Amino acid sequence: MFLSFRPEIGSTGNSMASPANTFLFEPANLVAIVTLSRGRCGLSKGVTWYLLSMAVADLLVVIFNVIPKVIYYYYKPPLCNIINTMSYVSVASSVWLTVAFTFDRTVAICFQRLKTRYCTEKGAAIIIAVVSVLSLFTNIPWYFTYMTYICWVSLGFINSLMWQAFDWGHRVLTPVVPFVLILLLNVVTIRHILMASAARRRLRGQRNGEEKDDQEMKNRRRSIILLFTLSASFILLWMTHVVILAVEYITMQYFEMTPSYVVAQKVGVMLQSFSSCTNMFIYAITQRKFREEMKNVVKYPFRAILSFCRR
């Protein structure tokens, strides 16, 4: 059975991360966390919980996946084992929370009867907790893949059929399955929206003296735009990495030394790393109230300093 050999920390291979990129990722996620935690963005509590958990997961990806690759050679066992494991945990959490949020919005838009029971604050908290716990326990085996004296994948992992099966299963579950699920959920959502919009236009066309503007559709549009933008960002930024994995496992070949493969792999990892900081900018572009709250959060330290200096 084919197994790609990647001794670097984390699940994404060689990284193109740099200190500059790292300093971009962290403030973006921190600002998103603080802004969302204030609960003043005009979003439902369930949606806020999902977005907040995704921001926290993305921050953990930066802490355990991006930063360690910048200073990787300074780590020794067992610290590298812990960082490596938490890197897989944080990436899995980030990816599957995106799937959970997409499913929640699909239910809210397409299945009105199920919406009242599923799309609630309590339901969101339960799903987030389940995803986080499963992400932790399913990635604990990665702790034992490194040698006890150096930060290098052990020969037992490379040669063991059991570990090869685990590695294959992991790469299918993260990110291939989420990638496909998000595509399918968005297809279902788009199909429902097109059918519902056509039916609503026909119904409104039969009424006389009604306003041209449909306030209900306007209210739903904000949520739909947010869902599609987050999904499109995830799909585009993960696509290169997913294609590389598909080529590796379908052809049963490994092109580590091929220049074109190395470039493609590094580009894929760079794009995947950027996915850890794009959500805040998506919120800012698509959500007016989030922009207003974000401005208040950014201005608050400067206002506090000015207030202190005037005393």
Side-chain angles (χ1 to χ4, degrees):
M1 183 182 292
F2 165 77
L3 172 68
S4 59
F5 174 50
R6 293 181 176 88
E8 293 85 359
I9 287 179
S11 60
T12 57
N14 295 319
S15 175
M16 297 180 71
S18 68
N21 291 337
T22 301
F23 292 133
L24 170 66
F25 295 160
E26 286 198 64
N29 289 308
L30 287 172
V31 170
I33 291 170
V34 174
T35 303
L36 291 168
S37 63
R38 291 163 64 91
R40 301 175 183 174
C41 298
L43 302 169
S44 67
K45 292 184 178 180
V47 171
T48 301
W49 272 109
Y50 277 114
L51 299 184
L52 185 58
S53 65
M54 290 163 63
V56 172
D58 287 340
L59 180 61
L60 292 177
V61 171
V62 175
I63 294 173
F64 291 108
N65 202 355
V66 178
I67 294 177
K69 289 175 181 176
V70 179
I71 51 177
Y72 168 71
Y73 292 104
Y74 294 96
Y75 291 106
K76 301 295 180 183
L79 183 59
C80 62
N81 302 56
I82 296 173
I83 293 175
N84 180 62
T85 303
M86 290 305 301
S87 172
Y88 283 102
V89 171
S90 59
V91 171
S93 297
S94 176
V95 170
W96 281 100
L97 285 171
T98 303
V99 176
F101 173 72
T102 305
F103 181 76
D104 179 270
R105 292 299 86 198
T106 299
V107 170
I109 294 170
C110 304
F111 307 98
Q112 294 300 311
R113 292 183 180 179
L114 182 59
K115 173 184 176 181
T116 56
R117 298 195 303 269
Y118 183 82
C119 302
T120 62
E121 182 181 6
K122 181 179 178 180
I126 293 173
I127 295 298
I128 292 168
V130 170
V131 169
S132 301
V133 171
L134 288 178
S135 298
L136 175 62
F137 283 101
T138 55
N139 286 283
I140 285 179
W142 289 109
Y143 179 88
F144 304 99
T145 61
Y146 275 49
M147 298 182 186
T148 57
Y149 52 92
I150 60 173
C151 289
W152 200 261
V153 177
S154 65
L155 293 177
F157 173 76
I158 299 172
N159 299 324
S160 170
L161 290 177
M162 182 184 69
W163 279 114
Q164 290 181 24
F166 174 77
D167 177 73
W168 184 88
H170 165 79
R171 296 181 189 280
V172 169
L173 288 175
T174 307
V176 177
V177 173
F179 191 87
V180 174
L181 286 176
I182 289 176
L183 278 175
L184 292 176
L185 289 171
N186 278 276
V187 169
V188 172
T189 306
I190 291 172
R191 180 176 178 274
H192 175 84
I193 290 172
L194 292 176
M195 294 176 61
S197 298
R200 191 170 183 82
R201 282 195 298 270
R202 288 195 299 269
L203 179 63
R204 289 174 60 81
Q206 297 173 358
R207 299 177 180 176
N208 297 323
E210 193 169 0
E211 297 180 0
K212 293 183 179 180
D213 294 335
D214 191 339
Q215 190 62 40
E216 181 178 341
M217 293 301 296
K218 286 184 177 181
N219 293 335
R220 294 178 59 185
R221 189 179 304 160
R222 181 176 59 184
S223 178
I224 293 170
I225 291 174
L226 176 61
L227 169 63
F228 287 167
T229 309
L230 286 174
S231 299
S233 173
F234 176 87
I235 291 170
L236 292 175
L237 294 176
W238 277 84
M239 183 177 295
T240 304
H241 184 61
V242 171
V243 170
I244 290 173
L245 290 179
V247 171
E248 287 180 355
Y249 283 99
I250 291 174
T251 62
M252 294 296 179
Q253 297 181 23
Y254 185 45
F255 305 100
E256 181 76 39
M257 300 308 295
T258 304
S260 58
Y261 173 84
V262 173
V263 171
Q265 186 190 54
K266 287 183 177 292
V267 170
V269 172
M270 180 187 68
L271 294 175
Q272 181 195 339
S273 298
F274 275 125
S275 70
S276 299
C277 74
T278 55
N279 286 353
M280 189 209 72
F281 301 102
I282 291 173
Y283 305 154
I285 293 172
T286 62
Q287 305 293 310
R288 179 181 58 82
K289 290 187 177 181
F290 181 89
R291 290 195 298 271
E292 295 173 356
E293 282 301 307
M294 184 180 66
K295 291 178 183 178
N296 293 332
V297 168
V298 173
K299 292 178 181 179
Y300 179 80
F302 300 99
R303 290 174 178 173
I305 294 173
L306 289 175
S307 177
F308 178 80
C309 293
R310 291 173 180 173
R311 293 179 181 178

